[in-house]
Amino acid sequence: MADARRDVARLATGLGAGDPLELARAITLVESERPEDRELAEELVEAVLPRAGASLRVAVSGAPGVGKSTLIDALGRHVVDGGRTIAVLAVDPSSQITGGSVLGDKTRMSRLAATKRSFIRPSPSGGVLGGVARRTREAITLCEGAGFDTVVVETVGVGQSELEAASLVDVFVLLVAPGAGDELQGMKRGIVEVADVVAVNKADGPDRERAEQAAVAISNALGLFSRSAGGRATPVVTLSALEERGVPELWTTVEATVGEAKARGAHATRRSRDRLAWFRGELERTLRERWLARTGVGEKLAELERLVEAGSVAPSRAVRLLVDELDGRPG
Amino acid sequence: MADARRDVARLATGLGAGDPLELARAITLVESERPEDRELAEELVEAVLPRAGASLRVAVSGAPGVGKSTLIDALGRHVVDGGRTIAVLAVDPSSQITGGSVLGDKTRMSRLAATKRSFIRPSPSGGVLGGVARRTREAITLCEGAGFDTVVVETVGVGQSELEAASLVDVFVLLVAPGAGDELQGMKRGIVEVADVVAVNKADGPDRERAEQAAVAISNALGLFSRSAGGRATPVVTLSALEERGVPELWTTVEATVGEAKARGAHATRRSRDRLAWFRGELERTLRERWLARTGVGEKLAELERLVEAGSVAPSRAVRLLVDELDGRPG
């Protein structure tokens, strides 16, 4: 344990010095599900926390094939050229199932990876479902602790993980692309609504005009749906990640969006709301896990869930049955 | 207790006979937060469950002033004329705070209330936050137990409660109205996305053309957002609840939507998913309440939440602190 604590101190120091290898090691630690690693990871995050929170956190989300990696490669270099440092974290929930890692591959952001002031973290492979947000939150904190002033979270369009990603960042950029015919790739309801900025990619070659038309259509559509009373309209931009056109303009829009949120006080609110959600989510998960670890609970729960799903036991009664039976047992 | 059980048996029998007074009494029981009433309510719901589930469950949601009550009054009479029976449940989360009951007022659906084959339940006044979904689920079950083959849930547009309502019903109808200028009343993002049918009301008098234009705009906008792969387009209809035009067509659309969902197997899936969500939500709430009832937990939790929100304690560590400290205490 004394050794482990020295490890945490060393990791924290290495992080503070901005050592990318130490940052990679630290992220591996927060991704681990081993209980002893979890404890160290929490100490490390706690040690880093006073230095964290100062970065601009951006999510880039979109369906496979819309050009997220190409965009981040170009956007990252633009940001670095402007004097910032950038850490890219890829979140791919599908890799939890396959154990593979298709996103965040360094070779897909090769030009950004070649710059000194960048850090690219491939998607974590494996891990528990629902742990994505926690690990990503902790990884963002570590990147900030390592001195990165821009953190980009790349997520692939699979519903829940994107909604989670939106709560982790300051600006959620939804990247879409003109598809075959009138279709738009990546415009899924439920995801559009959390977007702070919509970017239409592939505004190049023969698709350029269609991308511009799509941007107008999206803008009109979003205009119908008020986010909240007095909320500003969601900016919709077009760009070509491939030709690197519109990329500086996207960054300007991102910065303006954060600036406006800061001016309204919405930025600080969003951050503290996320911390609270993080805490509550963790607490709920921990309590449920501990409770499920009690003898027999898992089996009984599974049995009752089957009965409830089939409609043969009322949900409220199932809860009472489960809780009452447990009260008769040693914890 | 023996008396109480006889009460449940009597209520269940009265319900089975379709007695509206017994139904009103039964709903009052499920709305009660007294522990002894809860137990009886659960027994009653359990007793009724075998007869429940056969109704067509429809939510009508929209901002205040879009004409929900007028529509339900007209729609209800159309449904009754077609040989069905209808129960209307109003859900108004704001009445939890004020203790008042502004929705579901019988006088606002006076013509429907005057028909024999209808039952109208004003909004429950008071109660715990988060209990709306549970009470509404149980009330739907009771209405079905009382033989109503159509249950309409009226909800006012306040975010979370509408998303909850969507999970309770077979068809979620979002009612909007042309507002002043180009605005649409009731088109809030996050709510539009759960709509199975969008109805534009007030297609009458000088607003008729604007309502038709709004329907086209909404239809185009929704066309951009694919609900899921292979999902069908959300129907958008126009109507005048006041002049009772378009109301039969709305009902035809609702029935077609359910028919299509049944044909795809989506209807049964939605129902069993809702039962499971009901169970899990109840279980989580019960466990959290029991846990919070332990001495000192509430205070400690509130203190840690403040620290987490302020960013001075890492969320993961706050969870560990809370849980570890509790382990040292008697339950």
Side-chain angles (χ1 to χ4, degrees):
Chain A
M1 199 59 195
D3 279 1
R5 285 195 197 285
R6 270 203 300 278
D7 276 357
V8 167
R10 196 164 45 223
L11 269 171
T13 310
L15 271 187
D19 183 338
L21 273 177
E22 294 297 318
L23 176 56
R25 240 172 243 145
I27 295 179
T28 302
L29 187 64
V30 302
E31 284 171 358
S32 166
E33 295 296 332
R34 291 168 55 205
E36 59 273 32
D37 287 345
R38 279 306 311 149
E39 206 164 325
L40 292 179
E42 279 160 24
E43 282 182 40
L44 180 60
V45 170
E46 183 93 353
V48 161
L49 209 61
R51 297 200 296 275
S55 84
L56 202 172
R57 304 173 184 169
V58 183
V60 175
S61 185
V66 297
K68 293 185 294 299
S69 295
T70 313
L71 171 63
I72 295 170
D73 192 63
L75 187 68
R77 281 179 288 121
H78 171 71
V79 164
V80 166
D81 285 349
R84 301 183 72 108
T85 54
I86 188 168
V88 179
L89 301 168
V91 174
D92 179 8
S94 66
S95 74
Q96 294 185 315
I97 294 139
T98 62
S101 177
V102 293
L103 277 179
D105 200 328
K106 287 206 181 195
T107 59
R108 292 171 64 217
M109 297 179 199
S110 52
R111 294 167 71 186
L112 176 58
T115 73
K116 277 259 181 275
R117 299 154 66 81
S118 75
F119 173 84
I120 299 172
R121 176 70 180 191
S123 179
S125 54
V128 291
L129 210 70
V132 172
R134 185 191 70 208
R135 288 196 308 246
T136 308
R137 277 192 178 101
E138 292 183 343
I140 290 173
T141 304
L142 295 175
C143 292
E144 291 174 346
F148 287 95
D149 61 19
T150 318
V151 179
V152 173
V153 178
E154 178 187 359
T155 71
V156 78
V158 208
Q160 193 50 36
S161 69
E162 266 162 325
L163 299 182
E164 280 181 0
S167 74
L168 307 179
V169 297
D170 303 318
V171 182
F172 185 96
V173 177
L174 176 65
L175 190 66
V176 300
D182 287 338
E183 297 280 298
L184 275 168
Q185 297 178 303
M187 288 293 282
K188 266 201 310 212
R189 281 205 251 166
I191 288 157
V192 177
E193 65 156 319
V194 297
D196 297 298
V197 176
V198 176
V200 183
N201 192 16
K202 306 193 181 175
D204 43 42
D207 284 338
R208 183 158 187 174
E209 199 175 329
R210 282 175 53 226
E212 299 293 346
Q213 287 164 354
V216 171
I218 293 166
S219 207
N220 287 342
L222 289 174
L224 281 180
F225 310 133
S226 60
R227 167 168 281 183
S228 59
R232 65 193 248 293
T234 306
V236 181
V237 302
T238 57
L239 57 87
S240 166
L242 201 66
E243 298 178 359
E244 302 190 15
R245 266 188 305 98
V247 174
E249 290 77 6
L250 171 61
W251 185 249
T252 303
T253 305
V254 165
E255 285 192 315
T257 301
V258 179
E260 192 265 349
K262 280 186 175 163
R264 276 189 297 126
H267 180 261
T269 307
R270 190 161 168 167
R271 287 278 177 104
S272 62
R273 193 180 295 152
D274 176 54
R275 281 193 292 268
L276 201 55
W278 180 1
F279 172 57
R280 287 180 176 163
E282 275 287 282
L283 183 59
E284 210 147 271
R285 201 181 54 81
T286 305
L287 291 176
R288 190 170 44 229
E289 274 174 11
R290 289 162 57 99
W291 187 77
L292 282 176
R294 289 168 65 175
T295 326
V297 175
E299 292 81 351
K300 186 80 188 163
L301 178 63
E303 183 200 334
L304 283 167
E305 287 200 340
R306 268 194 306 275
L307 292 170
V308 164
E309 224 177 340
S312 37
V313 173
S316 308
R317 174 159 298 269
V319 169
R320 191 174 289 271
L321 284 173
L322 196 59
V323 170
D324 284 355
E325 183 170 310
L326 285 167
D327 279 349
R329 292 190 183 186
Chain B
M1 199 58 198
D3 278 2
R5 286 197 194 284
R6 269 202 300 278
D7 277 357
V8 167
R10 196 162 47 224
L11 270 171
T13 309
L15 271 187
D19 183 339
L21 273 178
E22 294 297 318
L23 176 56
R25 239 173 244 145
I27 295 179
T28 303
L29 187 65
V30 302
E31 283 171 0
S32 167
E33 295 295 331
R34 290 168 56 205
E36 59 273 33
D37 286 347
R38 278 306 312 149
E39 206 164 327
L40 292 179
E42 280 160 24
E43 281 182 42
L44 181 60
V45 170
E46 182 92 353
V48 161
L49 209 61
R51 297 200 296 275
S55 84
L56 203 172
R57 305 173 183 169
V58 183
V60 174
S61 185
V66 297
K68 292 185 292 300
S69 296
T70 313
L71 171 63
I72 294 171
D73 192 63
L75 187 68
R77 282 178 289 119
H78 171 71
V79 165
V80 166
D81 285 349
R84 303 183 70 109
T85 54
I86 188 167
V88 179
L89 301 167
V91 173
D92 179 7
S94 66
S95 73
Q96 294 185 316
I97 294 139
T98 62
S101 178
V102 293
L103 277 180
D105 199 330
K106 286 205 183 195
T107 60
R108 292 171 65 217
M109 296 178 200
S110 52
R111 295 167 71 186
L112 176 60
T115 73
K116 277 256 181 278
R117 300 155 65 82
S118 75
F119 172 85
I120 299 173
R121 175 71 180 191
S123 180
S125 56
V128 291
L129 209 71
V132 173
R134 185 191 69 208
R135 289 195 308 246
T136 307
R137 278 192 177 100
E138 293 182 344
I140 291 172
T141 303
L142 296 175
C143 292
E144 291 174 346
F148 287 95
D149 61 18
T150 318
V151 179
V152 172
V153 178
E154 178 187 0
T155 71
V156 76
V158 209
Q160 192 52 38
S161 69
E162 266 163 325
L163 298 183
E164 279 181 0
S167 73
L168 307 179
V169 298
D170 303 317
V171 181
F172 185 96
V173 178
L174 177 66
L175 190 66
V176 300
D182 287 338
E183 296 281 297
L184 276 168
Q185 298 178 302
M187 287 293 282
K188 267 200 310 213
R189 280 205 252 168
I191 288 157
V192 177
E193 64 155 320
V194 298
D196 297 299
V197 176
V198 176
V200 184
N201 192 15
K202 308 194 180 175
D204 43 44
D207 284 339
R208 182 159 187 173
E209 199 176 329
R210 283 177 52 228
E212 299 293 346
Q213 286 164 354
V216 171
I218 293 165
S219 206
N220 288 341
L222 290 174
L224 281 180
F225 310 134
S226 58
R227 166 167 281 183
S228 59
R232 65 194 247 295
T234 306
V236 181
V237 302
T238 57
L239 57 89
S240 166
L242 202 65
E243 299 178 358
E244 304 192 13
R245 265 189 307 98
V247 173
E249 290 77 5
L250 172 61
W251 185 249
T252 303
T253 304
V254 165
E255 286 193 313
T257 302
V258 179
E260 191 265 348
K262 280 185 175 164
R264 274 189 298 126
H267 181 262
T269 307
R270 190 160 167 168
R271 287 277 178 104
S272 62
R273 193 182 293 152
D274 176 54
R275 282 193 292 267
L276 201 55
W278 180 2
F279 172 57
R280 287 181 178 163
E282 275 288 281
L283 183 60
E284 210 147 271
R285 201 182 54 80
T286 305
L287 292 176
R288 189 169 44 230
E289 274 173 12
R290 290 163 57 99
W291 188 77
L292 282 176
R294 291 169 63 174
T295 326
V297 175
E299 293 82 350
K300 186 78 189 165
L301 178 63
E303 183 201 334
L304 283 168
E305 287 199 340
R306 271 194 304 276
L307 292 170
V308 164
E309 225 177 338
S312 36
V313 173
S316 308
R317 173 159 298 270
V319 169
R320 188 173 290 270
L321 284 173
L322 196 59
V323 171
D324 284 354
E325 183 171 309
L326 286 167
D327 279 347
R329 291 188 183 187

